[in-house]
Amino acid sequence: ILLDPDPRLVRPGADPDSWSLDFLLDYAKAIDQKFVNLKPGELRITVDRAGKATVKFVGFPGGDFSEVVDTNRVQTIDTPNGHAIKAYLGARDDAFFNDLPGFFRSINYAPQFYKVSWQAEKELREIATPKTLLELEGNTWFNFDPARPNHGDPLKLDLPPGAPESMVIQPTAYKKDANGNYRFVYSGRDAQAGININALVFEIPLAFLTTDPSNERIVNAWGESWVLKASDKIDTIPDEPERNLWPWLVPVLLLLLGLFWLVRGTHKKGRIRGLVVIVLGIGAAVLVNFLFAGPEADLDEQMRQYKIVDTDGVPFEDAALSERLHTRQLGANNLQLVRAFAIRTAHLGWGFGPSIAALGLRSAFDHGDEMIPQHRTYKTAVAAFPRVKRVLFQELRMPDDSWKKTPGVNIPLKRGFEVFIPNVCAIDMDTTGTWPFGRRLEDQVATRFLAVFLDMSQKVNGQPIHVDILGEQALWDAAPIEPKTPPNPLFNDKPFLTEFPYLADPW
């Protein structure tokens, strides 16, 4: 678990109506300069076979220390500088209440519904049928089947012959029932109900994280999962990501040229020239290694034994925007993905935008006159950006002002790009910490993520559209759709506790 407290960022002062792709990239570059040199405090947790957990606190103002604690029990860790940290490491009820198969149905995600080997997952991750919130006519591979209601949860079928090409359709209409109602790809059912998770729960004083708690009011938090390189449990992820070899071209050429002059030189001046060029080549190699070193360059001895396999910051960023790709497990420093995110958001918009319009709502995504989802991809962010500009730059309206906690502190509403760049859960200590100003357990983040594609300048049934509008039953009661339910459940399968560790007891 990585934690970095910082002052509140000042939003760029450009007129939102004039914001451009260059503006977005400049903003990302400025954030990148901050996060590339980020030195967050770390909580490293490992558990032995006897059920004892070692918690290492690394990089916090009070100095490094470690504590061995029992699992499945609330405990207090006393820090060397006098703070008390509550800890619970063990099984709890899963707090993520959502219809995950419904989301995967909306993007035609084959591994959720069919038996897909990890070797073939790249080709079969998302079938090239348009994404959608409403079932499409002819999409029998992913539409709900009353004869097999558990398809995708947990039933997985064999892939049809010729997959994935044989599974692709080009729809011309939404599927409707005898009453003319659309069929929702979501069921509103909690797919995580009755499931436990391994939870790492800490309650930490802000004063432990920073020596300036009155100024550093934004706590950037994210998690990473690492596996021993010697482990055979996860053999699908290389120890090292692919590296860019082009920067090494100059030092290699200098070294080869220097060696040529050194060996073939017929007089002293030529050999001296060769030595000088070799020294320049070595210097260039040192510089390239410093500028383009792999991620292991900053790891200490313990972490060099592990490889990173997962990161979690913004809910749904991995599944929706990073496409669950191993090469995009970058933690907080995901600024290199800004162009990819613009392209991906446009791709999702061609599915979700027309679906939203079909329900009588207005989408922030520009889908023109198209009312049926399209499967469109872009090679460049320049081509995608005009379609997604409003999705990225519009303010995400809150239902009311209850999220504001500290009187006198002016906190602007978040814009879409601020939520997903960088990939951290940025907890604002002057708010209640509700999404997108953090993430409270009771937040229905999956539904709020979908709301990002709504035009927040509009109204529905006389009510301004806001991040929770898709969770209001009245909207679905009036919509020509079945089932008449919000896309995800409104409450967890068990009530959250009012005291630490807050997550419900395990099943």
Side-chain angles (χ1 to χ4, degrees), residues 120-237:
E121 185 176 336
K122 183 176 181 181
E123 292 74 24
L124 288 157
R125 180 178 282 109
E126 295 175 11
I127 303 302
T129 290
K131 294 169 171 56
T132 181
L133 300 179
L134 308 174
E135 288 191 354
L136 301 171
E137 193 68 52
N139 191 19
T140 55
W141 305 113
F142 293 95
N143 285 349
F144 176 76
D145 183 357
R148 290 179 293 205
N150 62 339
H151 182 209
D153 187 24
L155 176 65
K156 294 188 179 185
L157 304 177
D158 291 329
L159 284 165
E165 289 79 7
S166 62
M167 302 173 74
V168 177
I169 68 162
Q170 303 298 328
T172 58
Y174 295 105
K175 182 180 179 180
K176 294 185 178 181
D177 63 16
N179 297 319
N181 290 319
Y182 299 110
R183 173 81 193 185
F184 211 0
V185 297
Y186 283 91
S187 68
R189 188 176 69 85
D190 184 0
Q192 308 304 109
I195 296 176
N196 295 326
I197 58 169
N198 289 322
L200 311 174
V201 190
F202 295 89
E203 188 170 272
I204 305 173
L206 181 60
F208 171 77
L209 304 179
T210 172
T211 57
D212 190 8
S214 62
N215 181 49
E216 296 185 334
R217 305 290 292 168
I218 309 297
V219 179
N220 296 299
W222 68 100
E224 298 178 347
S225 297
W226 294 66
V227 172
L228 282 169
K229 292 180 178 179
S231 171
D232 59 358
K233 293 181 180 179
I234 302 180
D235 57 357
T236 65
I237 303 174

Side-chain angles (χ1 to χ4, degrees), residues 1-6 32-44 58-61 64 209-210 216 220 222 290 295-300 332-333:
I1 300 173
L2 298 101
L3 302 164
D4 185 75
D6 289 284
D32 188 46
Q33 291 174 356
K34 164 186 166 56
F35 276 86
V36 74
N37 296 313
L38 196 66
K39 299 296 182 183
E42 301 179 20
L43 280 70
R44 299 180 185 172
V58 181
F60 294 103
D64 298 353
L209 304 179
T210 172
E216 296 185 334
N220 296 299
W222 68 100
F290 175 77
E296 283 207 349
D298 294 327
L299 298 182
D300 58 31
N333 191 24

Side-chain angles (χ1 to χ4, degrees), residues 16 22 373 380:
D22 287 339
T380 67

Side-chain angles (χ1 to χ4, degrees), residues 54 254 325 356 425:
T54 299
L254 287 174
L325 296 175
I356 289 170
C425 183

Side-chain angles (χ1 to χ4, degrees), residues 421-470:
I421 304 170
N423 184 16
V424 298
C425 183
I427 305 165
D428 192 320
M429 302 301 292
D430 291 309
T431 73
T432 60
T434 190
W435 191 95
F437 298 95
R439 192 236 163 158
R440 296 185 66 83
L441 292 175
E442 62 269 23
D443 291 342
Q444 181 37 270
V445 182
T447 301
R448 288 185 179 184
F449 173 82
L450 289 178
V452 171
F453 287 90
L454 297 175
D455 186 343
M456 300 262 172
S457 69
Q458 301 298 307
K459 294 183 178 181
V460 57
N461 299 326
Q463 179 185 7
I465 291 178
H466 53 77
V467 296
D468 268 341
I469 197 75
L470 295 180

Side-chain angles (χ1 to χ4, degrees), residues 86 92 203 440-441 495-504:
K86 291 182 180 179
R92 306 303 292 182
E203 188 170 272
R440 296 185 66 83
L441 292 175
F496 295 119
L497 306 180
T498 57
E499 58 185 21
F500 190 86
Y502 306 111
L503 298 178

